[in-house]
Amino acid sequence: MSGEKFDAIVIGAGMAGNAAAYTMASRGLKVLQLERGEYPGSKNVQGAIMYANMLEEIIPNFRDDAPLERHLVEQRFWMMDDTSHVGIQYRSDDFNESTPERYTIIRAQFDRWFSRKVREAGATVLCETTATELAKEGGKVIGVRTDRTGDVILADTVVLAEGANGLLGARAGLRQTPTSESVALAVKEIHFLPEDVIDQRFGLHGNEGCVIEAAGTISRGMAGLAFLYTNKESISLGIGCLVSDFAATCESPYELLEAFKNHPSIKHLIADSEVKEYAAHLIPEGGFKAIPPLFGDGWVVVGDAAQLNNAVHREGSNLAMTSGRIAGEAIFEVKSCGGRMTKRNLALYKTMLDDSFVIKDLKKYKDMPALLHTNSRNFFMTYPKLMSEASKNFMRVDGTPKIENEKATTAAFIKARSRWGLVSDAVRLALAWR
Amino acid sequence: MTVAVTKLRVEDKLFQNRYLVDPGRPHIKVRPHEHPSANLLALTRICPAKCYELNDKGQVEIAADGCMECGTCRVLCEASGEVMWNYPRGGFGVLFKFG
Ligand SMILES: Cc1cc2nc3c(=O)[nH]c(=O)nc-3n(C[C@H](O)[C@H](O)[C@H](O)COP(=O)(O)OP(=O)(O)OC[C@H]3O[C@@H](n4cnc5c(N)ncnc54)[C@H](O)[C@@H]3O)c2cc1C
Ligand code: SF4
């Protein structure tokens, strides 16, 4: 490899790195991609819901051979307290379309497939190789060092697609290491069950899938969310909370996960399953305000490494794929105009990204992280308990006059949060959601 | 909380996972200390692989073999210098089969 120079080196073969490498290689650029895992996906963790439109923009016929589990026809949102849940459920046969808009996937399999496409497009992919340092010359990034040899591998541009816990960019002073308030720690398990048992438990047919997202006392007052996704022959489930909240409460993540699995609303859904893996990973949660500088002389940063993750909607892989694609297109554009990979020219990446759903969505929710983080006890303890109490009051038929039940519900809300507290929470939520 | 929860052993969970351990080259180190900081102490509870433990002198020690490379300890304790964090050499460490 020494002496060779690449148009671009991509660090990481996750969603963002693969999108970037594919986009550039298929346009004829000379691309080297480095991945520290034994195979692409061996280090990666996701729920995982994959959004089809964003992949379609990169590989239009992906449905021909991508490893997809189930397409989603039903989504449930649950507010949980210790023994019950209140939920909304949306199910539509419209989602049984010929080109469904979202699927569950298994990342280790999906990333291998995506990486194969990257190779077929002409990129050189080196696995089992950790990039250890960015090489600079006069402030400009000119390549990387790896743990294979001490030599610098040269490139016009380096695309940092190193994920939420990326070391390279932070060590080179291009951005900060995430703070404990701007990342969540998620733990996840995969539970195997026969396909027909899953179909039966969730009321599914063929390749239909169902997802449950849940919040409430399961996160013990921390800002967090749990999920349960159906795959073909397995169920992925997990829970994640802010690292700062974990540090403050000293709750242990695996105990939270066990409690979630043992919750009466969940337990029967995974009964008799075989657990085959336990995983943990960070999720960027800082939103718009935590986005670091996205480009500079000789480099761009994409995906989770750039905090491009929409925690409110639990979307990350699609923002990663889209930012990777756009970075690839921008680099190609600069190159084909004969431009050098200067900060000034690479600003094109940001201009294009600002114009996409990625930045527009993150901007919409820019105040959400602060709201949820400063008010987590109310949103994740008080309200779920109140909701559950209100639902119970509404459902129970025990001879108490309805008016008394209603009064009791209202009184409970006011007692827990005060009238002013309720109004201010509602207003702040509405403003942050706007 | 139910009894099943408190009895859980994280070691049993990690047993499901595949690892390729790089002998003699731990990727995470804890700086020697007299008394652990609050964050370092928290790691004994919040590291999802339970890599951090208190020794009988009240200091925090790490055995990184079950580490899932999540980065939580890095985010909490790298800036203060209490934890030195690197990725394992390429190919080594946790190998997710599903992810
Ligand atoms: C539990 C969980 C559930 C999630 N659920 C969803 C979901 O349902 N839908 C969704 O859209 N998103 C979800 N996300 C978010 C999604 O996983 C991420 O947004 C997405 O994976 C980001 O892609 P990326 O390419 O930026 O980073 P990653 O996928 O993390 O890839 C980074 C890659 O870089 C490699 N790497 C890092 N450093 C180096 C180095 N120095 N040298 C070589 N290689 C290196 C890593 O090994 C890795 O392969 C979830 C995340 C988690 C943790
Ligand atoms: S990286 Fe995560 S799993 Fe590994 S020691 Fe640190 S906190 Fe534990």
Side-chain angles (χ1 to χ4, degrees), chain A residues 284-307:
Chain A
E285 301 260 333
F288 184 75
K289 292 180 176 168
I291 299 174
L294 292 169
F295 61 94
D297 280 323
W299 63 274
V300 294
V301 57
V302 293
D304 275 10
Q307 287 263 344

mmCIF file of all heavy atoms in Angstrom, chain A residues 284-307:
data_model
loop_
_atom_site.group_PDB
_atom_site.id
_atom_site.type_symbol
_atom_site.label_atom_id
_atom_site.label_comp_id
_atom_site.label_asym_id
_atom_site.label_seq_id
_atom_site.Cartn_x
_atom_site.Cartn_y
_atom_site.Cartn_z
ATOM 1 N N PRO A 284 -25.722 8.532 19.872
ATOM 2 C CA PRO A 284 -25.620 9.983 20.037
ATOM 3 C C PRO A 284 -27.005 10.577 20.329
ATOM 4 O O PRO A 284 -27.970 10.248 19.660
ATOM 5 C CB PRO A 284 -25.116 10.471 18.675
ATOM 6 C CG PRO A 284 -24.547 9.254 18.022
ATOM 7 C CD PRO A 284 -25.359 8.105 18.526
ATOM 8 N N GLU A 285 -27.089 11.430 21.336
ATOM 9 C CA GLU A 285 -28.383 11.986 21.742
ATOM 10 C C GLU A 285 -28.359 13.499 21.824
ATOM 11 O O GLU A 285 -29.327 14.113 22.257
ATOM 12 C CB GLU A 285 -28.779 11.452 23.128
ATOM 13 C CG GLU A 285 -28.894 9.961 23.219
ATOM 14 C CD GLU A 285 -30.328 9.476 23.144
ATOM 15 O OE1 GLU A 285 -31.234 10.231 23.512
ATOM 16 O OE2 GLU A 285 -30.531 8.342 22.688
ATOM 17 N N GLY A 286 -27.240 14.094 21.472
ATOM 18 C CA GLY A 286 -27.110 15.541 21.676
ATOM 19 C C GLY A 286 -27.915 16.364 20.693
ATOM 20 O O GLY A 286 -28.205 17.527 20.940
ATOM 21 N N GLY A 287 -28.264 15.762 19.549
ATOM 22 C CA GLY A 287 -29.063 16.472 18.558
ATOM 23 C C GLY A 287 -28.320 17.611 17.894
ATOM 24 O O GLY A 287 -27.089 17.690 17.919
ATOM 25 N N PHE A 288 -29.108 18.511 17.321
ATOM 26 C CA PHE A 288 -28.582 19.590 16.490
ATOM 27 C C PHE A 288 -27.463 20.380 17.166
ATOM 28 O O PHE A 288 -26.443 20.683 16.563
ATOM 29 C CB PHE A 288 -29.735 20.526 16.114
ATOM 30 C CG PHE A 288 -29.344 21.620 15.186
ATOM 31 C CD1 PHE A 288 -29.116 21.344 13.842
ATOM 32 C CD2 PHE A 288 -29.187 22.925 15.632
ATOM 33 C CE1 PHE A 288 -28.749 22.349 12.965
ATOM 34 C CE2 PHE A 288 -28.814 23.935 14.769
ATOM 35 C CZ PHE A 288 -28.594 23.644 13.428
ATOM 36 N N LYS A 289 -27.677 20.683 18.463
ATOM 37 C CA LYS A 289 -26.715 21.544 19.156
ATOM 38 C C LYS A 289 -25.378 20.853 19.420
ATOM 39 O O LYS A 289 -24.406 21.505 19.790
ATOM 40 C CB LYS A 289 -27.312 22.058 20.458
ATOM 41 C CG LYS A 289 -28.462 23.021 20.201
ATOM 42 C CD LYS A 289 -29.082 23.541 21.473
ATOM 43 C CE LYS A 289 -30.163 24.563 21.111
ATOM 44 N NZ LYS A 289 -31.004 24.896 22.252
ATOM 45 N N ALA A 290 -25.344 19.546 19.281
ATOM 46 C CA ALA A 290 -24.103 18.815 19.566
ATOM 47 C C ALA A 290 -23.322 18.480 18.289
ATOM 48 O O ALA A 290 -22.265 17.847 18.349
ATOM 49 C CB ALA A 290 -24.422 17.530 20.327
ATOM 50 N N ILE A 291 -23.835 18.901 17.141
ATOM 51 C CA ILE A 291 -23.136 18.573 15.888
ATOM 52 C C ILE A 291 -21.784 19.308 15.841
ATOM 53 O O ILE A 291 -21.738 20.532 15.984
ATOM 54 C CB ILE A 291 -23.980 18.953 14.647
ATOM 55 C CG1 ILE A 291 -25.298 18.177 14.662
ATOM 56 C CG2 ILE A 291 -23.220 18.675 13.354
ATOM 57 C CD1 ILE A 291 -26.268 18.597 13.562
ATOM 58 N N PRO A 292 -20.703 18.579 15.671
ATOM 59 C CA PRO A 292 -19.374 19.217 15.636
ATOM 60 C C PRO A 292 -19.106 19.801 14.242
ATOM 61 O O PRO A 292 -19.925 19.617 13.338
ATOM 62 C CB PRO A 292 -18.442 18.030 15.897
ATOM 63 C CG PRO A 292 -19.156 16.869 15.284
ATOM 64 C CD PRO A 292 -20.631 17.142 15.480
ATOM 65 N N PRO A 293 -17.977 20.481 14.059
ATOM 66 C CA PRO A 293 -17.609 20.902 12.695
ATOM 67 C C PRO A 293 -17.618 19.686 11.769
ATOM 68 O O PRO A 293 -17.113 18.628 12.145
ATOM 69 C CB PRO A 293 -16.191 21.449 12.856
ATOM 70 C CG PRO A 293 -16.085 21.811 14.295
ATOM 71 C CD PRO A 293 -16.970 20.866 15.043
ATOM 72 N N LEU A 294 -18.205 19.830 10.580
ATOM 73 C CA LEU A 294 -18.434 18.662 9.716
ATOM 74 C C LEU A 294 -17.362 18.458 8.657
ATOM 75 O O LEU A 294 -17.330 17.430 7.997
ATOM 76 C CB LEU A 294 -19.812 18.782 9.045
ATOM 77 C CG LEU A 294 -21.015 18.664 9.994
ATOM 78 C CD1 LEU A 294 -22.307 19.060 9.278
ATOM 79 C CD2 LEU A 294 -21.122 17.246 10.535
ATOM 80 N N PHE A 295 -16.502 19.463 8.469
ATOM 81 C CA PHE A 295 -15.508 19.355 7.398
ATOM 82 C C PHE A 295 -14.321 20.254 7.697
ATOM 83 O O PHE A 295 -14.428 21.151 8.541
ATOM 84 C CB PHE A 295 -16.133 19.761 6.054
ATOM 85 C CG PHE A 295 -16.608 21.188 6.073
ATOM 86 C CD1 PHE A 295 -15.787 22.215 5.620
ATOM 87 C CD2 PHE A 295 -17.860 21.521 6.582
ATOM 88 C CE1 PHE A 295 -16.209 23.543 5.674
ATOM 89 C CE2 PHE A 295 -18.287 22.843 6.638
ATOM 90 C CZ PHE A 295 -17.463 23.854 6.184
ATOM 91 N N GLY A 296 -13.228 19.982 7.037
ATOM 92 C CA GLY A 296 -12.035 20.833 7.173
ATOM 93 C C GLY A 296 -11.082 20.493 6.041
ATOM 94 O O GLY A 296 -11.453 19.777 5.101
ATOM 95 N N ASP A 297 -9.859 20.956 6.131
ATOM 96 C CA ASP A 297 -8.893 20.676 5.070
ATOM 97 C C ASP A 297 -8.577 19.190 5.003
ATOM 98 O O ASP A 297 -7.936 18.649 5.899
ATOM 99 C CB ASP A 297 -7.603 21.474 5.310
ATOM 100 C CG ASP A 297 -7.743 22.928 4.860
ATOM 101 O OD1 ASP A 297 -8.415 23.150 3.828
ATOM 102 O OD2 ASP A 297 -7.213 23.813 5.554
ATOM 103 N N GLY A 298 -9.069 18.548 3.974
ATOM 104 C CA GLY A 298 -8.748 17.138 3.758
ATOM 105 C C GLY A 298 -9.619 16.149 4.509
ATOM 106 O O GLY A 298 -9.322 14.959 4.521
ATOM 107 N N TRP A 299 -10.691 16.596 5.144
ATOM 108 C CA TRP A 299 -11.535 15.636 5.873
ATOM 109 C C TRP A 299 -12.988 16.065 5.959
ATOM 110 O O TRP A 299 -13.316 17.247 5.893
ATOM 111 C CB TRP A 299 -11.005 15.415 7.292
ATOM 112 C CG TRP A 299 -11.026 16.645 8.149
ATOM 113 C CD1 TRP A 299 -10.055 17.607 8.216
ATOM 114 C CD2 TRP A 299 -12.088 17.085 9.018
ATOM 115 N NE1 TRP A 299 -10.439 18.602 9.077
ATOM 116 C CE2 TRP A 299 -11.675 18.305 9.591
ATOM 117 C CE3 TRP A 299 -13.330 16.560 9.377
ATOM 118 C CZ2 TRP A 299 -12.464 19.028 10.495
ATOM 119 C CZ3 TRP A 299 -14.115 17.265 10.287
ATOM 120 C CH2 TRP A 299 -13.677 18.483 10.831
ATOM 121 N N VAL A 300 -13.852 15.058 6.103
ATOM 122 C CA VAL A 300 -15.261 15.284 6.445
ATOM 123 C C VAL A 300 -15.650 14.231 7.492
ATOM 124 O O VAL A 300 -14.994 13.198 7.603
ATOM 125 C CB VAL A 300 -16.220 15.144 5.228
ATOM 126 C CG1 VAL A 300 -15.988 16.229 4.197
ATOM 127 C CG2 VAL A 300 -16.101 13.763 4.595
ATOM 128 N N VAL A 301 -16.704 14.510 8.265
ATOM 129 C CA VAL A 301 -17.178 13.524 9.235
ATOM 130 C C VAL A 301 -18.660 13.257 8.976
ATOM 131 O O VAL A 301 -19.420 14.173 8.668
ATOM 132 C CB VAL A 301 -16.866 13.960 10.691
ATOM 133 C CG1 VAL A 301 -17.450 15.310 11.017
ATOM 134 C CG2 VAL A 301 -17.345 12.913 11.701
ATOM 135 N N VAL A 302 -19.053 11.982 9.082
ATOM 136 C CA VAL A 302 -20.419 11.570 8.715
ATOM 137 C C VAL A 302 -21.013 10.659 9.801
ATOM 138 O O VAL A 302 -20.285 10.101 10.624
ATOM 139 C CB VAL A 302 -20.410 10.814 7.356
ATOM 140 C CG1 VAL A 302 -20.022 11.730 6.214
ATOM 141 C CG2 VAL A 302 -19.448 9.620 7.403
ATOM 142 N N GLY A 303 -22.326 10.511 9.787
ATOM 143 C CA GLY A 303 -23.007 9.538 10.648
ATOM 144 C C GLY A 303 -22.921 9.841 12.132
ATOM 145 O O GLY A 303 -22.848 11.011 12.548
ATOM 146 N N ASP A 304 -22.899 8.789 12.931
ATOM 147 C CA ASP A 304 -22.894 8.934 14.390
ATOM 148 C C ASP A 304 -21.684 9.715 14.901
ATOM 149 O O ASP A 304 -21.765 10.392 15.930
ATOM 150 C CB ASP A 304 -22.871 7.547 15.069
ATOM 151 C CG ASP A 304 -24.264 6.960 15.225
ATOM 152 O OD1 ASP A 304 -25.218 7.530 14.652
ATOM 153 O OD2 ASP A 304 -24.399 5.930 15.908
ATOM 154 N N ALA A 305 -20.565 9.609 14.211
ATOM 155 C CA ALA A 305 -19.369 10.331 14.640
ATOM 156 C C ALA A 305 -19.644 11.833 14.648
ATOM 157 O O ALA A 305 -19.041 12.574 15.411
ATOM 158 C CB ALA A 305 -18.187 10.010 13.729
ATOM 159 N N ALA A 306 -20.587 12.273 13.801
ATOM 160 C CA ALA A 306 -20.948 13.688 13.736
ATOM 161 C C ALA A 306 -22.229 13.957 14.515
ATOM 162 O O ALA A 306 -22.847 15.010 14.339
ATOM 163 C CB ALA A 306 -21.107 14.119 12.278
ATOM 164 N N GLN A 307 -22.645 13.024 15.356
ATOM 165 C CA GLN A 307 -23.875 13.161 16.160
ATOM 166 C C GLN A 307 -25.123 13.294 15.286
ATOM 167 O O GLN A 307 -26.142 13.821 15.732
ATOM 168 C CB GLN A 307 -23.775 14.357 17.127
ATOM 169 C CG GLN A 307 -22.836 14.131 18.299
ATOM 170 C CD GLN A 307 -23.551 13.679 19.595
ATOM 171 O OE1 GLN A 307 -24.758 13.793 19.754
ATOM 172 N NE2 GLN A 307 -22.789 13.109 20.517
#
